[in-house]
Amino acid sequence: LFALKAGDKRVREYKRGGTTVTVKPGFDGCVSIHDKDVWIYCISQLVEGINRGREDVSRTVRFTAYDFLVTTNRPTNGGKEGGYERMAEAMERLAGTRIETNIETAEMRERQGFGLVDSWRVVEKKGGRMVAVEVTLHDWLYRSVQASQVLTLSPDYFRIRKPLDRRIYELARKHCGSQKQWQCSVVALHEKSGSTASIREFRRSLKQLVEADQLPDYKVELDAEVEVVKFKKL
């Protein structure tokens, strides 16, 4: 659902095992994997509320902009290039990007189109800067949270700056699950990642990831002879 490159304005379509997903960009392009931080943060607030047994948990999440920026390892400065302005731009792309899918959530399957958030608004300002905001998530996502169809992520996830490295971490987290390791062919990983790079460029990026050895929770190995990537849980 999330583009690896900012400003991507292509319509993307994925098909696998009877499930189809079509991603259509908004005016400012498709939502990116760094924009996804807003999504992840809102989901974490919902999960925490549910775990605490709060009765006021709903699709609408209210939070302070500063806490979001600190939690997701973003700058807290103002201005056009500051963290507050970029957060607003991310929420615009989350609301503007449209998804069409027949994916099943909470044992319900229906074909529908929706934005990744239904709406967002600034509920408090100080000195022209947003202080508190509200984000209303789509029912499709809210059902997933209620059905506990959510994986935890390492807090260090927000320190991963390269978009492809983030996506590969997510894939490792999803497929390893409770297993100690998971392996995948380079070609299959390239397809799952949604990367627009050539397979040659993708392989080069994998080698850089392996050499850096900084992926949270996992050790990554690349077997160049058989073109297989192995993930081992630390």
Side-chain angles (χ1 to χ4, degrees):
L1 303 184
F2 299 87
L4 294 181
K5 290 185 178 181
D8 190 337
K9 294 190 175 184
R10 297 173 303 123
V11 174
R12 307 195 309 278
E13 184 174 58
Y14 302 94
K15 294 181 179 180
R16 181 181 291 272
T19 296
T20 62
V21 178
T22 303
V23 185
K24 297 181 178 180
F27 178 79
D28 296 322
C30 277
V31 63
S32 75
I33 196 163
H34 284 293
D35 297 336
K36 187 179 183 179
D37 289 356
V38 177
W39 225 45
I40 295 171
Y41 181 85
C42 288
I43 291 170
S44 71
Q45 298 301 299
L46 285 179
V47 170
E48 182 179 8
I50 291 171
N51 289 342
R52 289 186 176 186
R54 285 173 45 189
E55 296 182 356
D56 61 342
V57 175
S58 72
R59 292 194 298 128
T60 298
V61 182
R62 181 170 180 167
F63 58 90
T64 64
Y66 181 81
D67 185 65
F68 163 77
L69 295 174
V70 171
T71 300
T72 57
N73 194 40
R74 290 167 175 253
T76 56
N77 59 308
K80 290 186 177 181
E81 296 300 319
Y84 293 90
E85 183 64 26
R86 291 192 173 185
M87 181 180 71
E89 292 171 355
M91 290 191 288
E92 285 283 7
R93 286 188 290 269
L94 280 162
T97 300
R98 304 299 297 175
I99 310 298
E100 292 182 5
T101 182
N102 65 345
I103 195 169
E104 180 178 300
T105 57
E107 298 184 351
M108 291 180 63
R109 182 180 290 274
E110 55 185 319
R111 184 165 187 84
Q112 60 174 315
F114 52 87
L116 290 172
V117 301
D118 273 2
S119 63
W120 69 277
R121 70 186 184 102
V122 178
V123 295
E124 185 180 353
K125 274 191 173 184
K126 182 180 291 185
R129 178 184 298 181
M130 65 176 70
V131 177
V133 297
E134 281 185 355
V135 176
T136 300
L137 303 176
H138 189 271
D139 186 57
W140 170 79
L141 177 59
Y142 186 59
R143 288 203 312 262
S144 296
V145 176
Q146 288 182 307
S148 300
Q149 294 176 337
V150 178
L151 290 174
T152 57
L153 298 175
S154 167
D156 290 330
Y157 169 86
F158 297 111
R159 299 186 182 279
I160 305 174
R161 299 319 304 164
K162 292 183 179 180
L164 181 61
D165 291 359
R166 280 193 171 206
R167 176 61 49 77
I168 289 176
Y169 170 83
E170 292 174 355
L171 291 169
R173 177 69 185 91
K174 176 181 185 293
H175 289 284
C176 277
S178 58
Q179 304 177 84
K180 291 185 177 180
Q181 63 180 38
W182 171 65
Q183 68 178 40
C184 180
S185 71
V186 172
V187 172
L189 191 63
H190 178 255
E191 180 187 0
K192 285 176 177 289
S193 73
S195 172
T196 58
S198 67
I199 192 69
R200 183 177 180 179
E201 293 171 337
F202 181 77
R203 191 182 295 109
R204 187 184 304 119
S205 296
L206 277 178
K207 289 180 179 178
Q208 292 174 352
L209 173 64
V210 171
E211 290 170 0
D213 192 25
Q214 294 182 341
L215 204 67
D217 302 334
Y218 300 98
K219 175 77 173 179
V220 188
E221 298 176 355
L222 174 61
D223 190 328
E225 290 187 10
V226 292
E227 288 283 276
V228 167
V229 186
K230 297 179 181 179
F231 298 87
K232 296 181 179 179
K233 188 180 295 185
L234 298 176

